[in-house]
Amino acid sequence: MLVFSTAGESHGRGVFAFLDGIPAGLKVDHAAIDADLARRQKGYGRGERMAIEHDVVDVLSGIRGGCTLGSPVLLAVWNRDSENWKTFMDPWEIMPGRELRTPRPGHADLAGAARFHHRDLRNVLERSSARETAGRVAAGGVLRSFLTALGIEACSWVTKIGPVECEAMFDRDLRDGSGVFCPDHDATRDMEKAVDDARSRGDTLGGEFVVVLRGLPAGIGSYTQWDKRLDALFASHLMSIPGIKAVQIGKGVGCAGLPGSLVHDPIVPTHPLGRTSNNAGGMEGGVSNGEPLEIRCSMKPIPTLKKGLPSVDLGDGSPVQAAYERSDVCAVPAASVVGEAMAVIALSAAILDSFCQPSMEALLPAFEAHRRYWESL
Ligand code: EPS
């Protein structure tokens, strides 16, 4: 069973990811992890923090000579900005009189303070910050090597920023050449303009992105128990990304208003068995059906607004505007990279659940035997 968790505060020493249950002997692509981390930092609409950080993975345990050992993997992404926050973040002594008392609507500030009885909202925002997602991308980077070894490829792209939508087909070069990770020149220009307009108004924007996983045989996941259904696994992993308010599998909410004859994907006698459409997003009964897995996520606008939002000073109960230091105007492109990482983690967990082996040497033949079975149907 795959265990995955993260630790770290936004302005503390670093962000950390812990992975246990990866088979021994997996060759890990170091450069690919750093490429993912660099991609997460980019995207038109990011704020000043990304100019300070230079995120790279530091492996603290579990990988030797480029291969997993079968022991727990601990990853660090150090925060360069922590140097500037020492007096706020010291574990033993912090400067008094600098407590944050005004919760920002849309952030975890108020609800998180209620959860842990914090008086200083910094105790909430340091961990609830999306800086934590650097750890997820580092972990996803390691597991991307696992999926690659099994012939599975993951990609993501942005389909909407604010009012600008684009349903262009995925093209890696076009996406990588786009400031907003959208594989279309005209839509990129319009999305960047929408971000500029929001910035000039002191406002923020949300949007949508799609994650696709290709190369997976049918038969991964299970209908036998609620928490083994692939749809549920992807929904929880993707929904856990800060700012994500909706996750759709395949045609998603679009299925609700259509008759069954226009929703369910006809099976055709190809080898392997194929479909004439993929409204199910590659999952039926909580199990992969051989088609690409397709997940679409909707992200709300960043809640830290330059123009501020009405709030209350928790010290004296007076109405005030929420404070602003710095923030992103739009983080949808970055979230698409995190979404890709979380989808990789979810699928790796499902595969390891079905093909639990201590080494890649044992796992690969078992997985390939299953793929041959599916292709023989
Ligand atoms: C982020 C780092 C943060 C924010 C952003 C994500 O840095 P700071 O708070 O120091 O400016 O830029 O956080 C949010 C958008 C959020 O809502 O928490 C990062 O590394 O991605």
Side-chain angles (χ1 to χ4, degrees):
M1 291 284 276
L2 184 72
V3 176
F4 163 62
S5 56
T6 67
E9 277 77 42
S10 180
H11 304 102
R13 296 275 311 284
V15 176
F16 308 91
F18 175 86
L19 285 163
D20 199 8
I22 304 178
L26 170 69
K27 201 168 170 4
V28 178
D29 186 342
H30 182 182
I33 306 173
D34 285 345
D36 283 345
L37 285 168
R39 204 151 58 88
R40 194 201 70 92
Q41 286 198 264
K42 290 191 202 134
Y44 202 78
R46 289 288 251 161
E48 293 94 323
R49 175 74 184 271
M50 289 304 104
I52 300 170
E53 301 300 342
H54 176 63
D55 293 344
V56 287
V57 72
D58 196 359
V59 175
L60 304 186
S61 79
I63 299 177
R64 180 165 179 258
C67 286
T68 54
L69 299 174
S71 49
V73 172
L74 185 59
L75 309 170
V77 178
W78 303 109
N79 291 329
R80 284 190 174 187
D81 202 21
S82 65
E83 281 300 308
N84 305 318
W85 292 81
K86 278 184 169 160
T87 52
F88 288 86
M89 298 304 295
D90 190 278
W92 307 116
E93 203 172 354
I94 52 163
M95 197 193 285
R98 307 285 292 273
E99 294 82 7
L100 294 175
R101 300 256 187 250
T102 310
R104 295 160 301 170
H107 262 290
D109 301 356
L110 178 61
R115 171 71 178 91
F116 291 101
H117 297 195
H118 284 312
R119 304 282 189 277
D120 181 357
L121 301 178
R122 179 160 301 287
N123 291 334
V124 178
L125 72 86
E126 282 293 338
R127 178 63 184 155
S128 62
S129 162
R131 177 80 192 142
E132 181 262 351
T133 62
R136 303 187 192 209
V137 170
V142 171
L143 291 167
R144 185 190 292 280
S145 290
F146 174 65
L147 294 189
T148 302
L150 303 180
I152 300 161
E153 191 198 28
C155 65
S156 65
W157 66 97
V158 170
T159 54
K160 181 174 179 165
I161 287 187
V164 185
E165 286 186 57
C166 174
E167 288 301 332
M169 296 282 289
F170 179 65
D171 178 302
R172 193 172 294 276
D173 291 337
L174 281 178
R175 183 209 58 190
D176 290 347
S178 161
V180 286
F181 304 168
C182 172
D184 184 279
H185 286 302
D186 292 349
T188 295
R189 186 199 54 226
D190 294 348
M191 287 175 180
E192 292 185 354
K193 165 101 174 39
V195 172
D196 288 341
D197 291 349
R199 182 184 281 112
S200 66
R201 294 193 308 271
D203 218 325
T204 57
L205 289 180
E208 279 181 9
F209 63 85
V210 171
V211 181
V212 172
L213 300 132
R214 292 177 200 281
L216 182 67
I220 305 299
S222 182
Y223 54 84
T224 57
Q225 198 53 265
W226 64 271
D227 58 351
K228 289 195 185 296
R229 286 184 171 255
L230 265 195
D231 321 49
L233 202 64
F234 281 110
S236 65
H237 278 66
L238 276 294
M239 200 72 165
S240 74
I241 298 168
I244 300 301
K245 298 304 277 182
V247 177
Q248 297 183 60
I249 309 289
K251 204 170 176 64
V253 296
C255 293
L258 292 171
S261 55
L262 294 181
V263 168
H264 302 296
D265 309 307
I267 303 172
V268 289
T270 50
H271 286 288
L273 291 170
R275 306 296 176 115
T276 51
S277 56
N278 188 20
N279 293 332
M283 298 170 230
E284 286 171 320
V287 187
S288 66
N289 68 3
E291 296 300 302
L293 308 184
E294 266 189 46
I295 306 127
R296 184 180 293 256
C297 300
S298 306
M299 186 184 196
K300 69 182 181 181
I302 297 284
T304 311
L305 269 66
K306 197 166 195 172
K307 64 179 179 188
L309 283 170
S311 185
V312 168
D313 183 323
L314 298 184
D316 59 14
S318 60
V320 283
Q321 289 292 100
Y324 174 85
E325 273 168 17
R326 66 180 178 203
S327 187
D328 303 328
V329 175
C330 175
V332 179
S336 72
V337 181
V338 181
E340 199 176 316
M342 290 307 288
V344 164
I345 292 167
L347 183 56
S348 301
I351 293 173
L352 288 167
D353 191 48
S354 302
F355 299 89
C356 178
Q357 296 289 343
S359 70
M360 289 303 284
E361 215 173 288
L363 188 144
L364 279 173
F367 189 81
E368 285 317 315
H370 173 76
R371 189 190 288 281
R372 280 196 302 279
Y373 167 75
W374 156 242
E375 287 174 354
S376 74
L377 287 179

